[in-house]
Amino acid sequence: MTSKSNSHLPPEFVTYYYTQTLDHFNYKPESYATFQQKYIKNFKYWGGASTSSPIIVYIGEEAPLTFGVHGKGFIVDLASRFKAMLLYIEHRYYGDSMPFGSFDEAFRDANTLGFLSSTQALADCAQLITDVKRNLSAENCPVIAIGGSYGGMLASWLRLKYPHIATGALASSAPILYFDDLTPQNGYHVVVTNDFRDVSESCYNTIKQSWSEIDRVAGQTNGLTTLSNIFQTCSPLNSSKELKDHLGMIYVISAQNDNPPYNPVSKVCGAIDGAPKGTDILGKVAAGLNASLLRGGPEAQCNHIIDFTPKNTSGWTWQTCTEMVMPIGHGENDTMFQGSPFDLNNYTKSCQALFGVTPKPHWITTEFGGHDIKSVLGNFSSNIIFSNGLRDPYSVGGVLEDISDSVVAVYTKDGAHGLDLLDATPSDPEWLLAERQKEIKIIELWIAEHNARLIKTGNRIGF
Amino acid sequence: MTSKSNSHLPPEFVTYYYTQTLDHFNYKPESYATFQQKYIKNFKYWGGASTSSPIIVYIGEEAPLTFGVHGKGFIVDLASRFKAMLLYIEHRYYGDSMPFGSFDEAFRDANTLGFLSSTQALADCAQLITDVKRNLSAENCPVIAIGGSYGGMLASWLRLKYPHIATGALASSAPILYFDDLTPQNGYHVVVTNDFRDVSESCYNTIKQSWSEIDRVAGQTNGLTTLSNIFQTCSPLNSSKELKDHLGMIYVISAQNDNPPYNPVSKVCGAIDGAPKGTDILGKVAAGLNASLLRGGPEAQCNHIIDFTPKNTSGWTWQTCTEMVMPIGHGENDTMFQGSPFDLNNYTKSCQALFGVTPKPHWITTEFGGHDIKSVLGNFSSNIIFSNGLRDPYSVGGVLEDISDSVVAVYTKDGAHGLDLLDATPSDPEWLLAERQKEIKIIELWIAEHNARLIKTGNRIGF
């Protein structure tokens, strides 16, 4: 383990690299290869091993590790409150944690990318946490795993699969049930639609009508030029699909991030509904685009139409092409979007073209379960919080009902994706304060129970 | 899945082959390779999916699958009692379940053997059970996993890691705590020693004194010839170590199998103590050898001295050389054996010489836990029986204390390895009948609770 200072982070966050096993589950010669996995320790608040003070572990998601530190102030608040050490673990194949020495080598082909999987990432966490605890003589300290979105799935799965490693888990906005046949495929876009409709029926109607209007204009002579002008695209449009994909992504991202105080759905709908009297449908939708998160702020001169085509340089796309198959799609008339059903055949073809791999749509439910979750985990497991904001379209694949006394669902009607983990601000609404307070109380109980069990089972806690 | 009749088994046991994934945890091109995994179904007693009748799954250990069927009558008795279907799953790399098409290819080198691991075997079970249930529309049927020794470890780990697959587990003589630093290294040989001493103090003393006597005679002119004659070896001895290893194995095997009605420890000690008056130490020990399980019966003319050197053709040796590192050893004066401490360095060198692999002695506790097991699983998990016979030297690495209301230890003072699973016989002692009755009652409760939860959570059970 080597350390280096990280100039982008406050000084109490110190970066290290752990020599991690490439393949935890096989014993081929190449399985023993290692890579440098980035992690961050912060001892500022820690009460120390002798008082059995907690270790809060941030389980990295599909992003560089600094994404887990910046803006996720609730985790630091928890550390301060519980005298916890903070340990942030970067996910393999993201950020600086590249097997095979470099991004280019790691992403060369399926032979090198093949070790990017959720089970390997969980075993990385298990091994790293065990070693860090051993080096601190902190074996008795409770570990609280925290993550958001995919990182939240990993946090809950770490508790389920490695209860000896994670004492409890806070899984924020983790759609662990959006796999296989567990959740209606159109659930995601139904929530997006409801978010918009809830804010404004006319906004919803405008968007719903806009797709065919775009198609109609695109079919006219110089239609794409017309559309490019209406939507102030920075470059001329190559197809109407490009525009529709971009607009669709605006609505999806707005719904997913429909958190206070910004509430992007209200912003977009405010612009759509607030367009000058007489503005036609496309003009209204264009006004919505200009008010959106992707515009790049008020000083932006035009709209960069983003290419959302999956790329073979994305680790997350690899993961969705192997095991993280979330069958998200929708029919012709069940949402405000044009029909786009999930089609496993096309999905598979696309993955084969991108990476040469075939997705395994049943694997996640085989490995981690999900069917009859309440029956299965009702008398098994403990100490997991599944937190969700119901405005988050992923919440439809989340756990929204208590499974047992200590595997519980915490949700807010007015929150969206990953809100609870974010920095506290003076404008945080009461319901958000209440959600965080509830999570704090639950985690406090886990820690107290852990330490009570230690005493009961004869493990010494020094004071 | 193809079926074939198996002439060595009663006709209700039907053999099939499942196209199993070679590598469940990576997504390299070779990970998608498959092999034919043998399994056996027996529907004779099954009440059917519509009544949510149980599926009892025998988790194969390091042996051909027929070892799980022959002589393990308790499992069939359970099926008969609970109207259960029986499903026997062969462990990869044993029996007929060879990846790469043949034993020779599978055992060629570490590149092909590398996929032999406990985690892969558990995922094999998860995938196979899921598919078998789906094909029978038996998703609602409770699954009881049963195994003995290493298979018992797998059964308990299947419940711990895949609670959505296994409703409960009976882990018979599963030393899940004989890893890392969890159990005293000399525990195994201390139990062997106590078994002998318990039967006869003089027998114990004779054996304890015999080792130096063998060394003394071996050091004489023609000493090995003398020893070969005393011990009636079929071939002349090449070293005194050969003899001592063979005798040591006799005692160990006798203790491990010290089950009624045969009770091999009493047989060996009876011969040692019953030697004609005036017989010297080596003559007594030779009489013990002649009465032992390895003699080959009364009609055997001589003792075949078995070569116990680890071989690279043994799948189990591969497993002990990678993850299943049980640090079994003993000091100079703590058992009736000559000192032979566990030495990880020598162990590692031997594995590197045999297979070119380096053992990972901490992996099992990282992956499956074990430290503070009562604290960790006390409020996690449910529905596991750890059964042990205390005369079994492996019992010292077993779970001998209840962990919670439903993760329980069942043991018999006078039983040894895997006794509860064996065929019932008219001479079974009361304490064995009571043990099996206790296990039946517990499993009955699991099944009743499972079906009650199904009703509560709204899953239909037809009658």
Side-chain angles (χ1 to χ4, degrees), chain A residues 404-451:
Chain A
S404 67
D405 284 353
S406 78
V407 179
V408 297
V410 170
Y411 59 85
T412 59
K413 194 172 69 61
D414 294 319
H417 204 60
L419 176 60
D420 49 351
L421 300 189
L422 302 185
D423 290 346
T425 72
S427 65
D428 286 339
E430 278 301 325
W431 52 261
L432 175 55
L433 300 180
E435 179 189 30
R436 289 186 179 137
Q437 201 54 42
K438 187 168 181 184
E439 293 172 3
I440 287 166
K441 287 287 169 207
I442 293 169
I443 293 170
E444 189 170 45
L445 185 64
W446 296 345
I447 294 169
E449 285 176 345
H450 172 89
N451 291 343

Side-chain angles (χ1 to χ4, degrees), chain A residues 135-462:
Chain A
N135 289 336
L136 294 167
S137 300
E139 286 89 345
N140 281 344
C141 299
V143 167
I144 310 299
I146 302 184
S149 198
Y150 169 55
M153 298 190 204
L154 292 176
S156 68
W157 292 336
L158 189 72
R159 171 64 184 157
L160 284 175
K161 293 283 192 181
Y162 296 88
H164 51 291
I165 307 278
T167 313
L170 169 56
S172 175
S173 300
I176 61 163
L177 302 179
Y178 221 135
F179 294 98
D180 215 344
D181 57 354
L182 294 170
T183 291
Q185 297 189 342
N186 68 4
Y188 184 98
H189 289 88
V190 165
V191 173
V192 176
T193 301
N194 290 345
D195 285 352
F196 277 81
R197 198 167 190 174
D198 184 50
V199 161
S200 159
E201 183 79 18
S202 64
C203 174
Y204 152 80
N205 276 320
T206 303
I207 293 169
K208 195 171 188 327
Q209 291 160 22
S210 68
W211 311 110
S212 58
E213 185 62 12
I214 291 171
D215 290 336
R216 192 186 63 75
V217 173
Q220 295 173 344
T221 315
N222 297 324
L224 287 178
T225 308
T226 310
L227 290 171
S228 300
N229 291 334
I230 295 173
F231 288 93
Q232 300 173 23
T233 64
C234 298
S235 316
L237 289 165
N238 296 309
S239 70
S240 64
K241 181 176 185 303
E242 211 175 49
L243 174 64
K244 292 193 288 184
D245 286 350
H246 187 81
L247 287 168
M249 194 56 72
I250 295 281
Y251 306 136
V252 156
I253 290 176
S254 299
Q256 206 165 300
N257 295 286
D258 198 27
N259 284 320
Y262 191 76
N263 283 105
V265 170
S266 299
K267 290 280 185 305
V268 169
C269 279
I272 287 176
D273 289 345
K277 208 173 149 105
T279 308
D280 64 8
I281 286 177
L282 293 192
K284 287 180 176 175
V285 170
L289 171 61
N290 293 341
S292 80
L293 291 169
L294 291 187
R295 170 70 172 188
E299 64 283 0
Q301 299 299 312
C302 57
N303 288 302
H304 287 283
I305 301 302
I306 298 171
D307 175 12
F308 294 105
T309 321
K311 302 284 186 304
N312 66 4
T313 50
S314 156
W316 183 246
T317 301
W318 165 268
Q319 292 194 258
T320 62
C321 272
T322 49
E323 58 187 20
M324 304 299 289
V325 182
M326 297 199 212
I328 295 176
H330 44 91
E332 283 303 329
N333 280 307
D334 47 357
T335 73
M336 70 183 191
F337 298 91
Q338 276 185 321
S340 175
F342 179 78
D343 180 328
L344 185 59
N345 281 337
N346 285 338
Y347 189 92
T348 299
K349 276 183 201 153
S350 147
C351 290
Q352 286 167 341
L354 273 174
F355 297 109
V357 285
T358 301
K360 293 189 185 175
H362 304 300
W363 172 246
I364 291 292
T365 53
T366 301
E367 177 66 17
F368 299 111
H371 292 102
D372 298 324
I373 190 170
K374 193 160 178 173
S375 170
V376 168
L377 297 184
N379 79 333
F380 189 99
S381 185
S382 56
N383 298 5
I384 305 176
I385 300 170
F386 291 100
S387 69
N388 281 283
L390 299 189
R391 297 189 75 78
D392 173 12
Y394 277 123
S395 69
V396 77
V399 175
L400 298 175
E401 204 183 323
D402 288 355
I403 285 173
S404 67
D405 284 353
S406 78
V407 179
V408 297
V410 170
Y411 59 85
T412 59
K413 194 172 69 61
D414 294 319
H417 204 60
L419 176 60
D420 49 351
L421 300 189
L422 302 185
D423 290 346
T425 72
S427 65
D428 286 339
E430 278 301 325
W431 52 261
L432 175 55
L433 300 180
E435 179 189 30
R436 289 186 179 137
Q437 201 54 42
K438 187 168 181 184
E439 293 172 3
I440 287 166
K441 287 287 169 207
I442 293 169
I443 293 170
E444 189 170 45
L445 185 64
W446 296 345
I447 294 169
E449 285 176 345
H450 172 89
N451 291 343
R453 277 194 306 276
L454 281 186
I455 292 164
K456 199 173 155 198
T457 56
N459 283 287
R460 191 174 47 86
I461 303 178

